[in-house]
């Protein structure tokens, strides 16, 4: 089924701001709008093959991620480090409220840095970008079950790392 012009506009309104925020955290601020435009150009050109349902958002995030990776590869640049990582959710929410925002940010960044690229990406896509584990898995090319298992292990490793960084508070 082909994506109509109206559906495309709706998709852009729904996902455009989220994709732009995703890209702003990963590339130079001046490059993010261009990559956003490129992302939706790909979506428009491939409108006959854009999946529907819950997979649609993951598919668009996947397009943006591949363009971002190509941007870094072609420009010989490294991805922009996470400037202000999301607060951990669930069992990884071990950083105490008494710690300063800077201290919590440094601890979360250190914990994220201990994860492999895919696991870190899964955490960021679920916590920061609001994707489900299955959607995040689709973005990075993992089966839903694999994504859920890796995300669980990544959160467990982050919780252990945060406990080690702030043992008196956890």
């Amino acid at each position: 089924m082909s994506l109509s012009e109206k559906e495309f506009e709706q998709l852009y309104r729904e996902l455009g701001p989220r994709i732009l925020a995703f890209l702003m955290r990963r590339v130079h601020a001046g490059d993010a709008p261009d990559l956003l435009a490129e992302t939706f150009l790909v979506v428009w050109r491939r409108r006959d093959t854009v999946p529907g349902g819950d997979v649609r958002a993951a598919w668009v995030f996947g397009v943006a991620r591949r363009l971002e990776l190509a941007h870094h590869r072609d420009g010989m640049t490294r991805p922009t480090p996470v400037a202000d990582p999301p607060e951990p959710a669930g069992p990884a929410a071990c950083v105490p409220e008494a710690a300063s925002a800077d201290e919590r940010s440094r601890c979360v960044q250190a914990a994220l840095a201990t994860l492999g690229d895919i696991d870190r990406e899964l955490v960021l896509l679920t916590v920061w970008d609001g994707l489900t584990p299955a959607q995040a898995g689709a973005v990075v090319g993992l089966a839903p079950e694999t994504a859920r298992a890796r995300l669980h292990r990544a959160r467990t490793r982050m919780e252990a790392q945060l406990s080690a960084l702030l043992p008196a508070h956890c």
Side-chain angles (χ1 to χ4, degrees), residues 76-130:
M76 303 295 274
T77 61
R78 301 285 302 154
T80 304
V82 175
D84 189 14
E87 290 295 325
C94 180
V95 180
E97 289 299 318
S100 72
D102 286 343
E103 186 178 11
R104 286 196 313 263
S105 180
R106 280 192 303 275
C107 290
V108 172
Q109 283 182 343
L112 281 170
T114 66
L115 301 177
D117 292 341
I118 297 295
D119 292 345
R120 183 173 42 256
E121 188 79 10
L122 287 171
V123 170
L124 293 174
L125 286 167
T126 56
V127 174
W128 212 340
D129 295 306

Side-chain angles (χ1 to χ4, degrees), residues 34-96:
D34 292 338
L35 286 173
L36 175 68
E38 238 182 291
T39 298
F40 279 92
L41 180 61
V42 170
V43 172
W44 179 253
R45 286 181 177 160
R46 298 197 51 207
R47 64 188 175 275
D48 292 337
T49 61
V50 174
D54 289 343
V55 180
R56 184 171 283 170
W59 187 86
V60 177
F61 268 92
V63 170
R65 181 174 182 265
R66 284 185 294 280
L67 289 170
E68 176 250 332
L69 292 172
H71 173 77
H72 291 300
R73 185 179 55 247
D74 295 345
M76 303 295 274
T77 61
R78 301 285 302 154
T80 304
V82 175
D84 189 14
E87 290 295 325
C94 180
V95 180

Side-chain angles (χ1 to χ4, degrees), residues 23-35:
L23 292 166
M24 291 288 288
R25 290 189 299 272
R26 295 161 181 270
V27 299
H28 186 274
D31 295 336
D34 292 338
L35 286 173

